[in-house]
Structure formats: C-alpha cells, structure tokens
C-alpha cells in the first residue's frame, strides 16, 4: 500500500480534547475523528486495526463452535417491555419513535432480540445447544463518554449468546468461552487478567471479566501476589475474621458529647483525637424494600454491590438530607446506630469493634464508648466493604495488590432470566416444556483497539502488537529522487506484498525525519529503510519498534527475515 494514497491525517500536536493516551494517539495518528460526543469516524488505518481485532475474535469464536449472525441495530420497544428492561434500563437506552409513532430503541445489547429469534425457531432439545454471536455497533447513551474509544456512545461489540437444554450444558459452554476468551486476548498481544465478577442473583463463579492491565483503567481489581486469585473490586471478598461475635465492651455505657459542626469522618476523628478506624459511620440507604442502615468502620468504604446482594434489592441509593432527618431526627453527619429504628446491617469489621464513636441521632452530638455487640441491635453482620491492599487474599491468605484495568470482555451465565421473561421454551426428551438455559459473552472490540494502545506506546507514539498493527512493515525510501532507491523500494514493496506481508510504502515527498516520526507514531512493528548508503552494502536497515533495536539485513535475506519476525510475534 502506498502511503500517499491513504487518508492518514496525522497531527503534530496532542489534541487538547483528549485525556487518555490512546485517545490522543488515535487522533494524532489520523485513525479516528470525532463526529459527536462518544461517536467517532474510523479512518482507513483505524479501521484496519479494528478489523484485525474483529478477525481474531471471529476466528476464535468460530473455532469454539459459535455461529455468526447479524442482528438489527434498531429494536422494537415491545421486546424490551416483555423483558421488563424498557422500564429499568434508564437513559443509556437511546429511545425514539418511527413514523408510525412506534417506540423503538437503538440496541445497547441484544438479549431480547436473540431470545426472540430463538424462541421462534427452537422447539426441541434436538435443536440445542446453540451458540450465536455477532460483531455489531451498539449505542449506549453513556453518562460520561470519555477516553475516546474506551467509553464511547457508539462502539463495536462482539456479543454472543448461548442456549442450552440443561444447566450443566450451559456451564460447559461457559468454560469453552472462558478458554476462547483467553486465546483471543493472548492473540491480541495484550497483558490481561481474568477476574471474578459479581454474578448478582445467579451466584457461583459464573461471571468473569477480562481486564487489560493499564494504569489508566477505570476499573479496579484485587489480585493475589501469590496465588491466581483475582476479582474485580466490587466482588473481591474480605475474609471473615474467625467467627468473631464482636468484642466485649471495654468500659461503661455510651456517653453523649456535644460536637457542633463536626460531621465528616475526618472532622470527628480530629475532634476526638482518634483514628478513623475507631469510629463507626452510619449510611442510610433507600431501597425498594424500604430504608436500611449500613454500618462501617470509619476507615472502610462501603461496597454497594455486596449490600444489594445481601438485601436482594436492585434499587439502592443514599438517602437525601431530608430523609435522613426524618429517619434519624438529625442532620446528615450525626446519624448513628444506637436506638435507630431501621434494619441495621453491619460490616464484620464494624461489628467487631470494642469501643467506637458514632453519631448520636441528634444534630451536633456524637456518642463515645459505643460497643456494637452491647449497644446496637444489629440485624445482620456481613462482608459489606470494599477490599483494600491491606487485606489478605481470601484464598491463600497472602497479600493482595490493587490494580487498574480496562474491561475488554465479560462472560456471564444468564440462567433462565430472559427465557422466562420472553417465554423461550423447548420440549425436553420426556416431552416436557422447559425454559432454555442461557449464557452471554461480550467483548469490546473497539475498546480493545484503545486498550492495546494504553498498554503499548512511548513518547514517539503507538507500539502495536504485530497481530493488531495497521501494517506489519513500514517501508521508507530515504529519497525518491534517487532513482536506484526508488526502484529498490518499489521492488521490495511488490515482493513483500506478493509474500502476503502488510507493507506501507512511504512514498511521500517528505524528509526522512518526517517519515520516521510518522512510522513511529503509527506503531508499525517493523521499519525498513532503504537509501543509497544501505544499498551500497546491498542491505536494508530494519528497526523493531518495540525493542528499538536496529539491524542491517542483506536484501536477499530481507523477505525471510521479515516473515520470520512477523510469524514469531504473531504466534508468540
Ligand atoms: P462498563 O462497566 O465498562 O460500562 P459494561 O458492564 O456495561 O461495561 P457489557 O454490557 O458487559 O459492559 O458489554 C460488553 C463489553 O463491551 C464490555 O466488556 C466492554 O469491553 C465493552 N463496552 C461496554 N461499554 C462500552 C462503551 N461505552 N464503549 C466501548 N466499549 C464498551
Ligand atoms: Mg456500562
């Protein structure tokens, strides 16, 4: 391919609109352009990278026995009403009406559509299992689209859904997808971790996320330094201190102390000259089952996913100031668990304290010497907080580290949630009607492009893994005015293309320095330079983008040298 014929509008400066490295570089390399918030044009080179990701995903899904389909982007509201998600999906669902005033949405995901398809086409266990996937543009009206392709509103997703006659078969398919996903991210040349994720009411370990490790990731995960335990922070368990029923009180009954204007954990700790771990914070939540109080040690963070799972609720928000006043008779900052007439759920570390400071349910007052076991009527003690790097691994007891990642894939056992809602039934061997068991498997195809760049870049630009690079080789003639150089460059270009190597010949009338810079910016893994000085030696200069190393390769060996390097990097 000739550089001069492609639309590659590179930029010299970092665009001001971009925060994330991948976003900056994708814009600078002329791979994407923004059309509207979270909506991008893919230019030729950006599309090439996207297609490479797609290809790996498609090959591995096919290898695992899944079949490709293509489902509509526009979906009728009726299906979403049937599943109940029309009401609960919220503003991320882009809704509109057609000319007949029929409600529609632009698909953010396709459980409804695929379940509808399968319920119409499948009647018997003999037609199962089925594993169907598509690679298609989704639209989610994200509250905060950002970081370019990492969190777009319109983005390319691989979404797969499997259908089974038995739960065991669904679980076996889950394992197959787990394996396929590992292969996909390995082939994409990414450093990633598979983490346990919250599986909500399904339970068991049937929800895993695939996280590309990057400092800039929006997701936090806990990973054991010794064993292979890793979980996203929402899910990571805090080990239960050996059946601790709560410490015995150290001293006399609680006492009320005036604390005017002292509200936050920091203020209270400073006022009493104690550390945050010696006080209890009381969070009041509204849920669909009514208000509840959650108790935590002052230095711990609540994990709302754990609280929701414990309570079996889906709607949970912190109570506003007015509600807090109604429920506790005090302003925010002075709520406390003693004498509070609400169900009280205490984190295990909070319940274990011997003596703590809490709000007094009276504005401008706190209680000291509160012993949870003696003074608080706790409904239930449970693990309700977010794990920290100070906690031990729940599997092996060694230390955990907290890492940042970018979620690029998610596999999930759905059970019969959608088949029940949409009445997707089959007749089993005994002629009995049963709900179809389902699983779903997502990959953020366009997000992977950005994640690969977050992991692979330096001050000069992108460093693509061979499998994803827009071209494998950048071929740079030092000067096209030199007839011998030009001829050799064209000859090499033709020979490499004929050998199936993806080569970008920089035939622009630019100084070599400009070409080198752009070649680095585009992240092409191998750069081949020919010019009078290399030709004198019958050679070309090859530079490895990632390793930075430069070697002179004899022209007659160049093809096999490049082929070897490309193969090595694609398979390794
Ligand atoms: P997130 O927590 O990042 O919002 P999600 O849980 O909403 O992700 P899924 O519904 O599981 O994501 O979608 C499958 C995959 O699609 C995700 O693993 C992610 O890689 C990708 N994805 C989700 N939302 C976006 C987005 N706004 N832009 C780009 N990719 C996305
Ligand atoms: Mg999301």
């Amino acid at each position: 391919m000739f550089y001069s014929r492609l639309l590659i509008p590179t930029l010299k400066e970092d665009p001001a609109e971009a925060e994330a490295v991948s976003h900056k570089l994708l814009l600078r390399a002329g791979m994407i352009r923004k059309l509207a918030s979270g909506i991008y044009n893919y230019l030729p080179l950006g599309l090439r990278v996207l297609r490479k990701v797609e290809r790996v995903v498609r090959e591995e899904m096919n290898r695992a026995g899944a079949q490709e389909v293509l489902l509509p982007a526009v979906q009728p509201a009726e299906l979403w009403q049937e599943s109940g998600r029309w009401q609960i999906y919220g503003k991320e669902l882009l809704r509109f009406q057609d000319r007949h005033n029929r409600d529609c949405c632009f698909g953010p995901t396709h459980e409804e559509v695929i379940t509808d398809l399968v319920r119409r086409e499948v009647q018997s266990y003999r037609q199962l299992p089925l594993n169907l996937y598509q690679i298609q543009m989704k639209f989610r009206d994200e509250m905060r689209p950002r970081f370019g392709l990492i969190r777009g509103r319109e983005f390319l997703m691989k979404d797969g859904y499997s259908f089974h006659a038995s739960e065991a078969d669904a679980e076996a398919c889950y394992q197959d997808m787990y394996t396929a996903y590992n292969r996909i991210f390995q082939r994409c040349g990414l450093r990633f971790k598979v983490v346990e994720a919250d599986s909500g009411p399904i339970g068991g370990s049937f929800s895993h996320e695939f996280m590309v490790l990057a400092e800039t990731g929006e997701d936090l995960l806990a990973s054991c330094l010794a064993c292979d335990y890793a979980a996203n922070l929402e899910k990571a368990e805090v080990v239960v201190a050996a059946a601790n029923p709560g410490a015995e009180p150290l001293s006399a009954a609680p006492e009320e102390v005036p604390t005017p204007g002292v509200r936050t954990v920091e203020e209270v700790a400073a006022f009493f000259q104690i550390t945050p771990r010696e006080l209890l914070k009381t969070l009041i939540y509204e849920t669909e089952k009514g208000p509840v109080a959650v108790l935590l040690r002052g230095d711990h963070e609540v994990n709302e996913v754990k609280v929701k799972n414990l309570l079996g609720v889906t709607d949970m928000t912190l109570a506003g100031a007015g509600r807090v006043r109604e429920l506790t008779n005090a302003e925010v900052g002075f709520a406390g668990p003693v004498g509070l007439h609400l169900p009280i759920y205490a984190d295990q570390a909070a319940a274990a304290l011997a003596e703590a400071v809490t709000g007094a349910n009276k504005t401008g007052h706190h209680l000291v010497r509160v012993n949870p076991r003696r003074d608080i009527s706790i409904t239930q003690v449970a693990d309700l907080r977010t794990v920290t790097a100070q906690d031990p691994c729940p599997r092996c007891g060694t230390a955990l580290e907290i890492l940042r990642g970018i979620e690029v894939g998610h596999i999930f056992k759905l059970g019969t949630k959608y088949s029940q809602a949409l009445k997707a039934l089959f007749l089993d061997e005994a002629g009995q009607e049963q709900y179809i068991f389902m699983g779903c498997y997502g990959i953020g195809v366009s997000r992977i492009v950005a994640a690969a760049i977050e992991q692979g870049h330096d001050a000069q630009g992108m460093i693509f893994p061979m499998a994803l690079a827009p071209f494998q080789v950048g071929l740079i003639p030092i000067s096209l005015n030199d007839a011998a150089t030009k001829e050799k460059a064209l000859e090499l270009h033709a020979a490499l293309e004929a050998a199936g190597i993806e080569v970008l010949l920089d035939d622009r009338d630019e100084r070599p320095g400009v070409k080198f810079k752009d070649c680095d910016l585009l992240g092409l893994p191998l750069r081949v330079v020919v010019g009078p000085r290399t030709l004198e030696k019958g050679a070309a200069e090859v530079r490895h983008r990632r390793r930075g190393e430069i070697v002179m390769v004899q022209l007659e060996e160049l093809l096999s040298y490049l082929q070897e390097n490309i193969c090595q990097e694609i398979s390794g």
Side-chain angles (χ1 to χ4, degrees):
M1 190 70 76
F2 294 95
Y3 197 123
S4 64
R5 294 184 200 164
L6 280 174
L7 177 62
I8 315 178
T10 57
L11 308 172
K12 290 209 176 59
E13 304 293 328
D14 272 347
E17 68 195 88
E19 290 170 73
V21 184
S22 61
H23 190 193
K24 281 184 197 157
L25 289 175
L26 281 161
L27 289 167
R28 275 191 55 201
M31 292 188 175
I32 61 168
R33 284 293 182 262
K34 178 166 134 181
L35 177 65
S37 168
I39 304 181
Y40 292 90
N41 295 306
Y42 288 85
L43 277 59
L45 289 196
L47 184 62
R48 285 183 74 98
V49 180
L50 192 70
R51 291 280 185 253
K52 294 226 169 155
V53 178
E54 258 188 79
R55 194 168 115 193
V56 173
V57 171
R58 184 173 281 120
E59 283 177 7
E60 292 303 330
M61 290 303 289
N62 292 348
R63 183 206 296 271
Q67 305 172 56
E68 187 167 3
V69 294
L70 184 57
L71 306 172
V74 172
Q75 310 181 4
E78 286 76 19
L79 279 179
W80 287 75
Q81 280 151 355
E82 250 188 278
S83 73
R85 288 209 288 184
W86 187 255
Q87 285 72 34
I88 58 175
Y89 210 95
K91 289 196 168 169
E92 265 187 37
L93 187 62
L94 178 64
R95 302 160 206 244
F96 50 90
Q97 291 192 328
D98 67 11
R99 64 164 76 200
H100 305 292
N101 299 329
R102 283 188 287 244
D103 285 323
C104 304
C105 64
F106 195 108
T109 176
H110 280 67
E111 282 83 0
E112 283 79 0
V113 171
I114 195 102
T115 309
D116 174 62
L117 176 73
V118 169
R119 75 177 165 184
R120 291 164 191 271
E121 306 307 327
V122 170
Q123 282 80 43
S124 153
Y125 71 94
R126 287 196 196 86
Q127 295 166 281
L128 296 172
L130 271 180
N131 189 350
L132 304 172
Y133 76 96
Q134 63 170 342
I135 299 177
Q136 190 235 27
M137 279 293 178
K138 301 282 185 261
F139 193 94
R140 294 183 183 178
D141 206 349
E142 298 274 356
M143 181 140 72
R144 289 217 289 158
R146 55 195 179 139
F147 307 140
L149 300 187
I150 291 184
R151 186 168 299 281
R153 292 198 296 161
E154 187 176 302
F155 60 96
L156 194 63
M157 195 202 280
K158 187 287 291 183
D159 47 329
Y161 309 88
S162 68
F163 299 84
H164 308 272
S166 72
E167 189 159 12
D169 196 52
E171 290 176 5
C173 181
Y174 184 92
Q175 297 310 330
D176 291 345
M177 288 295 105
Y178 185 98
T179 309
Y181 271 44
N182 273 293
R183 292 182 58 99
I184 288 170
F185 299 118
Q186 263 155 24
R187 280 188 57 187
C188 286
L190 298 165
R191 275 182 291 116
F192 66 98
K193 245 187 202 303
V194 192
V195 304
E196 294 177 13
D198 178 51
S199 51
I202 298 272
S205 62
F206 289 105
S207 174
H208 285 90
E209 288 168 351
F210 293 76
M211 298 281 192
V212 164
L213 298 174
E215 283 297 319
T216 47
E218 286 182 289
D219 287 291
L220 290 167
L221 49 118
S223 171
C224 179
L225 290 170
C227 75
D228 58 9
Y229 176 80
N232 97 15
L233 221 54
E234 283 178 352
K235 160 89 180 181
E237 306 141 51
V238 175
V239 265
V240 188
N244 190 344
E248 294 296 332
L250 292 179
S251 51
E255 184 190 328
E256 199 175 282
V257 178
T259 53
V262 177
R263 293 164 190 270
T264 65
V265 166
E266 293 69 33
E267 288 165 359
V268 176
F271 182 90
F272 288 102
Q273 299 198 329
I274 55 175
T275 60
R277 50 183 300 148
E278 294 166 276
L279 57 96
L280 281 178
K281 53 184 174 190
T282 309
L283 305 175
I284 313 286
Y285 281 103
E286 295 282 10
T287 76
E288 72 249 32
K289 294 185 179 169
V292 299
V294 175
L295 278 193
L296 289 152
R297 227 168 63 182
D299 59 330
H300 286 151
E301 291 304 322
V302 65
N303 183 320
E304 294 189 352
V305 172
K306 290 180 180 176
V307 179
K308 279 185 189 170
N309 287 346
L310 178 73
L311 301 181
V313 300
T314 51
D315 259 359
M316 197 178 91
T317 48
L318 273 175
R323 262 310 255 170
V324 169
R325 213 177 303 121
E326 254 170 60
L327 294 165
T328 69
N329 299 319
E331 299 295 329
V332 170
F334 301 99
V338 179
L340 185 64
H341 296 294
L342 284 180
I344 298 177
Y345 296 90
D347 177 65
Q348 46 198 355
L353 287 176
E355 197 173 281
V357 173
T358 75
N361 294 327
K362 187 169 163 192
T363 301
H365 290 80
H366 279 80
L367 294 179
V368 296
R369 294 200 300 270
V370 172
N371 174 271
R373 188 174 169 186
R374 177 190 63 195
D375 304 320
I376 306 172
S377 61
I378 295 174
T379 310
Q380 196 174 342
V381 177
D383 169 19
L384 298 178
R385 71 176 173 92
T386 300
V387 82
T388 68
Q390 280 72 52
D391 288 304
C393 167
R395 291 278 157 11
C396 75
T398 316
L400 290 176
E401 62 178 334
I402 309 290
L403 301 172
R404 285 191 166 274
I406 302 168
E407 182 196 322
V408 289
H410 189 183
I411 56 176
F412 197 87
K413 179 174 145 190
L414 283 172
T416 54
K417 179 174 167 191
Y418 290 93
S419 54
Q420 287 201 31
L422 285 118
K423 306 203 174 44
L425 295 143
F426 70 99
L427 289 178
D428 68 12
E429 273 180 88
Q432 297 287 312
E433 273 202 326
Q434 306 262 10
Y435 289 116
I436 301 177
F437 288 93
M438 289 174 61
C440 71
Y441 320 97
I443 289 186
V445 177
S446 48
R447 185 179 279 185
I448 288 177
V449 173
I453 299 166
E454 291 292 330
Q455 260 189 0
H457 65 266
D458 62 14
Q460 276 66 51
M462 309 175 175
I463 306 179
F464 273 114
M466 190 62 79
L468 303 189
F471 287 91
Q472 296 160 338
V473 174
L475 176 57
I476 301 182
I478 288 291
S479 161
L480 286 170
N481 297 326
D482 176 56
T485 303
K486 184 174 176 181
E487 192 190 319
K488 202 33 130 188
L490 289 172
E491 192 188 302
L492 281 174
H493 175 254
L496 296 188
E497 277 198 341
I501 294 178
E502 300 168 9
V503 53
L504 182 64
L505 170 61
D506 197 338
D507 57 338
R508 293 176 300 167
D509 184 18
E510 290 282 2
R511 286 179 292 113
V514 172
K515 297 184 182 183
F516 290 166
K517 272 216 171 82
D518 280 340
C519 189
D520 278 355
L521 177 61
L522 302 182
L524 308 187
L526 295 166
R527 185 185 79 189
V528 176
V529 178
V530 286
R533 261 189 255 158
T534 72
L535 292 180
E536 222 169 71
K537 299 184 197 124
E541 181 200 276
V542 181
R543 197 185 76 147
H544 295 252
R545 177 74 178 88
R546 189 180 295 274
R547 300 203 293 270
E549 125 204 340
I550 295 183
V551 286
M552 290 297 268
V553 180
Q554 289 300 303
L555 288 173
E556 50 286 6
E557 286 159 23
L558 185 63
L559 185 62
S560 59
Y561 180 87
L562 295 175
Q563 272 170 331
E564 223 167 83
N565 272 274
I566 291 167
C567 282
Q568 246 172 27
E569 280 197 44
I570 285 187
S571 52

